[in-house]
Amino acid sequence: MSAGPIILFDGVCNFCNAAANFVIKRDKRGQLKFAFLQSEFAEKLLMDKQLPTFDSNTFLFIENEKIYSRSTAALKVCRYLNGLWPLLYGLMIVPAFIRDGIYNWVAKNRYQWFGKKNMCTLPPIEVRSRFLNEMI
């Protein structure tokens, strides 16, 4: 898992894809890598870590061999972004049950609010090298 920090996200979720594009545009150093939770790459990675292979209600962030989920993952990703976004990491002082409560509410409703695709789509050519999976 030497690819560096990796974000695993729901590749059919419109909100999740928009969030990934948001991160890509603000990670000017290109440190973060991405994979769809539905990909063989993610399945193998999660099986190796003895974790459930697909949970569409969260995204995962892997950093230094540790796996983070939900709001903790989102806040850790913010540290890699340009601008003032890293300041959001300060929200880690809010108890996880509160942060994750909000996260879970959005996750539960995201398909209804933002829709979903029938399958994961191939990322744009200019960022494809940052994706660790194939289109499914």
Side-chain angles (χ1 to χ4, degrees):
M1 204 166 35
S2 63
I6 303 169
I7 295 172
L8 302 176
F9 69 99
D10 182 356
V12 299
C13 169
N14 289 336
F15 176 75
C16 302
N17 276 287
N21 288 329
F22 176 90
V23 169
I24 288 167
K25 287 180 184 174
R26 286 155 184 83
D27 175 23
K28 300 290 185 193
R29 291 174 281 181
Q31 298 176 82
L32 300 170
K33 303 292 183 191
F34 301 83
F36 302 128
L37 281 166
Q38 297 90 339
S39 70
E40 287 181 28
F41 173 86
E43 184 176 346
K44 182 178 180 334
L45 182 67
L46 294 173
M47 284 176 60
D48 289 347
K49 294 289 185 184
Q50 300 176 350
L51 293 169
T53 55
F54 182 69
D55 177 4
S56 67
N57 286 325
T58 190
F59 84 98
L60 301 172
F61 181 60
I62 303 166
E63 178 186 51
N64 299 324
E65 300 291 324
K66 292 184 182 175
I67 299 177
Y68 304 95
S69 65
R70 305 191 186 285
S71 64
T72 300
L75 294 174
K76 286 196 171 278
V77 167
C78 287
R79 294 180 310 155
Y80 288 86
L81 307 182
N82 291 343
L84 298 176
W85 296 106
L87 295 176
L88 288 177
Y89 187 72
L91 291 173
M92 289 292 283
I93 66 169
V94 176
F97 77 91
I98 294 172
R99 292 185 279 115
D100 287 344
I102 296 166
Y103 182 99
N104 292 337
W105 176 67
V106 173
K108 178 181 171 188
N109 293 292
R110 72 190 191 287
Y111 289 153
Q112 181 181 358
W113 296 340
F114 303 99
K116 71 184 237 183
K117 302 172 188 330
N118 290 329
M119 65 185 327
C120 302
T121 55
L122 199 58
I125 191 99
E126 61 272 9
V127 295
R128 202 167 292 164
S129 65
R130 296 177 67 186
F131 279 75
L132 304 171
N133 50 254
E134 299 294 324
M135 183 175 90
I136 62 167

